[in-house]
Amino acid sequence: KWKGEGTTPNLDSIIIGRCYEYIRIVNPAVGEKNCSELLEAFKKAFMNKDPCNILPSDYELFINLSQHSIPPNKSLFWENNQFLVSSYAARTHRYMPLGDTLIGAFGDLLNWCGQANNTEVDDSCPTTEECENNAVESFWRIASINYARQSSGIIHVMLNGSATGGAYPVKGFFADFEIPNLQKERISQIEIWVMDDIGGPDLDSCGKGSVQILEALLKEMGYDITCIDNYKSVLFLLCLDHPDHPRCSVISSALSAQRGPVFSD
Ligand code: ENP
């Protein structure tokens, strides 16, 4: 009956598996957690309820039980490049974006909603267009607020310079729930990376378009900011799939120079 995708099959098992994998293998620094208790708290937010009447505060108990600290300089905010961000972050080895926290592990790439007067999950769920107060949207809202509050040191933001509608959406999780909840006194710098898709248009860059709007806003809030176009380290990762593209020539020319003597031997 709803337009959105339904609850991911085997949701409980996926979450329990992800939770124990996170606390035992990915990030044991979070310490002991009771994953069954966390799953119960998570489900209590939306089960047996009108799927259009779920508020961020319904997840409060879940957030309190599952939260852990985010190491300084490890926060990575983003818009419109989820897969690049998760590959670059490398499951907390380089960075710890929200999706690589214990809270994020409960929602990343999953979908869920309950039904009024029914103890089953639903196989179709409301989209945010149908109703804003849905289970998934409210989850990411409170998760974003909590993540921004926990972030400290140098903050990184990865934006997509090829995104239609701008690299920095003025309405989005970063603008609406993260920027306003950053703890200014605990933040030394904000570094913005604007990555263009290889083969995609260069629509936005540092100092231009929506990135300029973001830079001006953060400066006005008193942050020390830097902005880098096509940050090399992330560009290397993009270029893995397009080694011969002209935008990757910085890397290919270095490699052919390296190869030269080997082949001429
Ligand atoms: P999209 O629309 O590009 O991608 C949404 C996909 O990323 C969904 O599969 C979603 O899981 C997963 N996801 C991982 N972390 C977040 C998240 N953190 N979030 C919403 N979805 C997330 O992403 P958005 O909507 O622009 O959100 C980007 C925001 O995430 C940025 O503000 C960044 O700083 C923040 P699911 O459960 O929907 O299947 C917050 C909101 O970390």
Side-chain angles (χ1 to χ4, degrees):
K1 60 190 166 23
W2 299 106
K3 293 204 183 89
E5 217 180 294
T7 305
T8 309
N10 311 107
L11 183 77
D12 291 19
S13 314
I14 294 173
I15 288 182
I16 286 288
R18 283 186 178 182
C19 178
Y20 281 117
E21 188 183 29
Y22 193 85
I23 65 168
R24 300 289 179 236
I25 300 160
V26 178
N27 188 8
V30 305
E32 197 53 37
K33 301 274 184 194
N34 179 339
C35 290
S36 315
E37 187 189 10
L38 299 191
L39 176 63
E40 283 318 302
F42 173 78
K43 289 174 76 176
K44 213 169 162 237
F46 62 90
M47 289 301 280
N48 219 328
K49 287 188 187 173
D50 172 355
C52 279
N53 194 18
I54 311 298
L55 298 174
S57 56
D58 292 328
Y59 288 98
E60 237 159 49
L61 174 64
F62 164 73
I63 297 282
N64 290 338
L65 293 174
S66 51
Q67 78 162 312
H68 56 83
S69 60
I70 313 292
N73 312 321
K74 288 276 189 179
S75 287
L76 176 55
F77 295 87
W78 56 276
E79 288 286 359
N80 296 310
N81 47 25
Q82 188 196 10
F83 289 103
L84 183 59
V85 166
S86 55
S87 0
Y88 188 59
R91 298 199 88 183
T92 76
H93 289 295
R94 286 194 196 91
Y95 290 96
M96 196 185 282
L98 175 54
D100 286 346
T101 64
L102 180 57
I103 291 172
F106 275 68
D108 204 19
L109 301 173
L110 302 176
N111 210 50
W112 62 92
C113 65
Q115 309 179 52
N117 311 313
N118 184 328
T119 53
E120 302 288 307
V121 290
D122 204 345
D123 56 12
S124 77
C125 294
T127 59
T128 297
E129 290 66 45
E130 286 174 292
C131 59
E132 189 172 293
N133 294 334
N134 67 66
V136 173
E137 180 73 18
S138 292
F139 169 84
W140 287 115
R141 286 185 181 186
I142 192 166
S144 294
I145 293 170
N146 182 69
Y147 178 71
R149 288 191 179 142
Q150 301 286 327
S151 295
S152 67
I154 304 172
I155 301 293
H156 294 90
V157 187
M158 200 193 294
L159 301 178
N160 185 335
S162 303
T164 43
Y168 167 65
V170 289
K171 281 210 72 59
F173 286 103
F174 184 54
D176 294 334
F177 303 102
E178 296 176 328
I179 294 177
N181 285 294
L182 292 171
Q183 304 291 293
K184 182 142 178 296
E185 58 293 348
R186 297 176 58 215
I187 292 170
S188 53
Q189 197 180 42
I190 301 184
E191 190 169 306
I192 304 164
W193 302 326
V194 185
M195 304 304 303
D196 298 324
D197 293 338
I198 305 290
D202 172 10
L203 300 176
D204 257 358
S205 325
C206 296
K208 284 197 349 208
S210 69
V211 184
Q212 185 178 27
I213 296 176
L214 172 64
E215 290 174 272
L217 170 76
L218 295 174
K219 270 186 199 152
E220 192 181 295
M221 292 172 83
Y223 289 104
D224 176 9
I225 63 154
T226 55
C227 184
I228 303 173
D229 284 312
N230 294 309
Y231 174 55
K232 225 190 223 177
S233 179
V234 180
L235 182 64
F236 282 11
L237 191 53
L238 279 173
C239 284
L240 277 179
D241 294 324
H242 308 269
D244 297 320
H245 192 279
R247 278 196 191 152
C248 298
S249 61
V250 215
I251 302 161
S252 342
S253 54
L255 287 180
S256 20
Q258 203 179 68
R259 241 187 259 129
V262 178
F263 290 128
S264 60
D265 268 348

